[in-house]
């Protein structure tokens, strides 16, 4: 089986299968979370605001999945028009990086509460947290403006209409710097910030003695969860994406290498998309009020036991 056949199989089976799983499991996990945050949590704080925006970003992208599932099951034939193709691809890009930034905000919130408990009350209040969330949505949306210009519908020789990703665009003079910039600003810098926040927080808790052992244990779980997500989901995705564009920019005629890179990229798209099913974990690890409300709901008690 050659690379082209494997690539076609992945696009027609792995991608729609994964998206169907995310549509079912992601909505099942995220919808109760947003319901608890909105209707059960009475006192909203900084963590609640960041958690709510994280879940909203995941739900927004999940709601576009039915179009993509039909597209991949329909032998990669897009029937929904060019505008919806651009919107779908842009929503993925915006929500993907918003998700990373909101996880980073949760890490910074823990850092301020532990390392600077008194200063944090005026350094980052609820109004400022809401403003940060709105700024993240706005800046990420503006930064995603190139996506609809290079991602659009294309008619193939067999009269099949595809909804292309910007990764596969021939305009590499746009896509390569854009992808590298997104990798640095949207992945590497948040990861560095998260590492600094958690390392500083753990050191502070270690100095305070055994009375903060439980808090340190919870923070350690949260830190390891974020590191694993970055290691398994975010870093490989960015590496494979940049490789695809890099090969097209330098060796556009080396079809075999490009096909192999595209295959790896589509696998990473499937794997990385699972973050929408994993992010609700942060609600248990980071949201104290959220956990309290979950404990009052009998069907969630078993899940909550595993967090502790």
């Amino acid at each position: 089986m050659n690379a082209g056949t494997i690539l076609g199989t992945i696009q027609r089976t792995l991608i729609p299968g994964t998206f169907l799983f995310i549509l079912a499991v992601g909505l099942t996990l995220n919808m109760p979370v947003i319901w608890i945050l909105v209707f059960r949590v009475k006192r909203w704080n900084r963590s609640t605001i960041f958690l709510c925006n994280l879940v909203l970003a995941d739900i927004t992208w999940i709601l576009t999945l039915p179009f993509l599932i039909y597209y991949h099951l329909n032998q990669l034939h897009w029937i929904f028009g060019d505008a919806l193709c651009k919107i779908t691809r842009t929503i993925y890009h915006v929500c993907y990086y918003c998700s990373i930034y909101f996880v980073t905000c949760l890490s910074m919130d823990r850092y301020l509460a532990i390392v600077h408990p008194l200063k944090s009350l005026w350094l980052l209040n609820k109004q400022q947290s809401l403003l940060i969330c709105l700024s993240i949505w706005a800046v990420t949306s503006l930064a995603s403006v190139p996506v609809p210009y290079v991602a659009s519908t294309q008619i193939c020789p067999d009269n099949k209409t595809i909804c292309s990703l910007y990764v596969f665009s021939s305009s590499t003079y746009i896509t390569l710097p854009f992808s590298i910039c997104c990798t640095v600003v949207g992945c590497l810098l948040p990861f560095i910030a998260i590492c600094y926040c958690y390392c500083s927080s753990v050191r502070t808790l270690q100095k305070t003695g055994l009375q903060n052992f439980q808090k340190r244990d919870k923070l350690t779980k949260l830190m390891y969860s974020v590191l694993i997500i970055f290691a398994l989901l975010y870093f490989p995705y960015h590496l494979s994406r940049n490789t695809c564009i890099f090969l097209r920019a330098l060796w556009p005629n080396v079809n075999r290498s490009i096909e192999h890179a595209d295959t790896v990229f589509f696998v990473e798209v499937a794997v990385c998309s699972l973050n929408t099913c994993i992010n609700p974990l942060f609600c248990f690890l980071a949201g104290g009020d959220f956990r309290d409300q979950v404990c009052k709901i009998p069907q969630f008690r078993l899940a909550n036991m595993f967090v502790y």
Side-chain angles (χ1 to χ4, degrees), residues 239-253:
L239 179 60
S240 63
R241 187 183 70 189
N242 291 328
T243 301
C244 285
I245 302 175
F246 188 77
L247 289 175
R248 281 174 167 79
L250 294 186
W251 301 288
N253 297 321

Side-chain angles (χ1 to χ4, degrees), residues 136-299:
I136 288 174
W137 282 106
V139 172
T140 307
S141 299
L142 288 174
S144 301
V145 167
V147 174
Y149 284 98
V150 289
S152 60
T153 55
Q154 299 176 9
I155 300 178
C156 299
D158 57 357
N159 291 326
K160 185 183 294 183
T161 302
I162 64 171
C163 178
S164 66
L165 290 159
Y166 80 86
V167 178
F168 308 126
S169 172
S170 58
S171 304
T172 53
Y173 62 94
I174 297 175
T175 58
L176 184 57
F178 176 65
S179 180
I180 292 175
C181 181
C182 289
T183 300
V184 174
V185 179
C187 184
L188 292 179
L189 291 183
F191 178 71
I192 293 172
I194 288 171
C195 288
Y196 173 79
C197 289
Y198 286 139
C199 290
S200 299
S201 300
V202 170
R203 282 200 302 268
T204 299
L205 290 174
Q206 287 175 340
K207 295 177 182 178
T208 56
L210 295 176
Q211 65 269 24
N212 282 317
F213 175 78
Q214 187 177 17
K215 184 183 294 186
R216 185 168 71 244
D217 184 57
K218 292 178 183 177
L219 183 68
T220 303
K221 290 180 181 179
L222 184 61
M223 177 176 65
Y224 284 137
S225 299
V226 173
L227 293 178
I228 290 172
I229 288 174
F230 268 87
L232 297 181
L233 303 184
Y234 296 141
F235 285 146
Y237 170 81
H238 284 89
L239 179 60
S240 63
R241 187 183 70 189
N242 291 328
T243 301
C244 285
I245 302 175
F246 188 77
L247 289 175
R248 281 174 167 79
L250 294 186
W251 301 288
N253 297 321
V254 185
N255 295 328
R256 188 174 181 82
S257 297
I258 291 176
E259 284 183 351
H260 283 297
D262 291 350
T263 302
V264 174
F265 172 73
F266 273 111
V267 172
E268 290 302 328
V269 167
V271 173
C272 191
S273 298
L274 294 172
N275 75 315
T276 54
C277 299
I278 298 174
N279 284 338
L281 172 68
F282 291 106
C283 298
F284 291 96
L285 295 178
D289 292 337
F290 178 87
R291 285 196 303 269
D292 294 340
Q293 293 300 322
V294 169
C295 289
K296 297 177 183 178
I297 304 176
Q299 58 265 37

Side-chain angles (χ1 to χ4, degrees), residues 23-44:
L23 183 63
V25 177
L27 281 180
T28 301
L29 293 175
N30 283 283
M31 293 303 291
V33 168
I34 200 71
W35 180 80
I36 292 173
L37 289 173
V38 173
F39 295 106
R40 297 295 296 264
V41 176
K42 304 300 181 182
R43 295 176 300 159
W44 277 46

Side-chain angles (χ1 to χ4, degrees), residues 12 68-79 160:
R12 292 176 177 86
L68 294 174
I69 292 170
Y70 182 86
Y71 168 61
H72 285 276
L73 291 178
N74 195 34
Q75 303 299 309
L76 303 179
H77 178 48
W78 183 264
I79 63 171
K160 185 183 294 183

Side-chain angles (χ1 to χ4, degrees), residues 57-109:
D58 290 340
I59 292 176
T60 302
W61 179 69
I62 290 174
L63 292 178
T64 67
L65 287 182
F67 301 103
L68 294 174
I69 292 170
Y70 182 86
Y71 168 61
H72 285 276
L73 291 178
N74 195 34
Q75 303 299 309
L76 303 179
H77 178 48
W78 183 264
I79 63 171
F80 304 107
D82 186 66
L84 192 54
C85 171
K86 293 177 180 293
I87 291 172
T88 301
R89 298 308 189 190
T90 305
I91 286 177
Y92 173 78
H93 196 268
V94 172
C95 293
Y96 177 78
Y97 284 104
C98 280
S99 178
I100 294 178
Y101 287 132
F102 291 136
V103 170
T104 307
C105 288
L106 286 169
S107 304
M108 295 180 65
D109 173 59

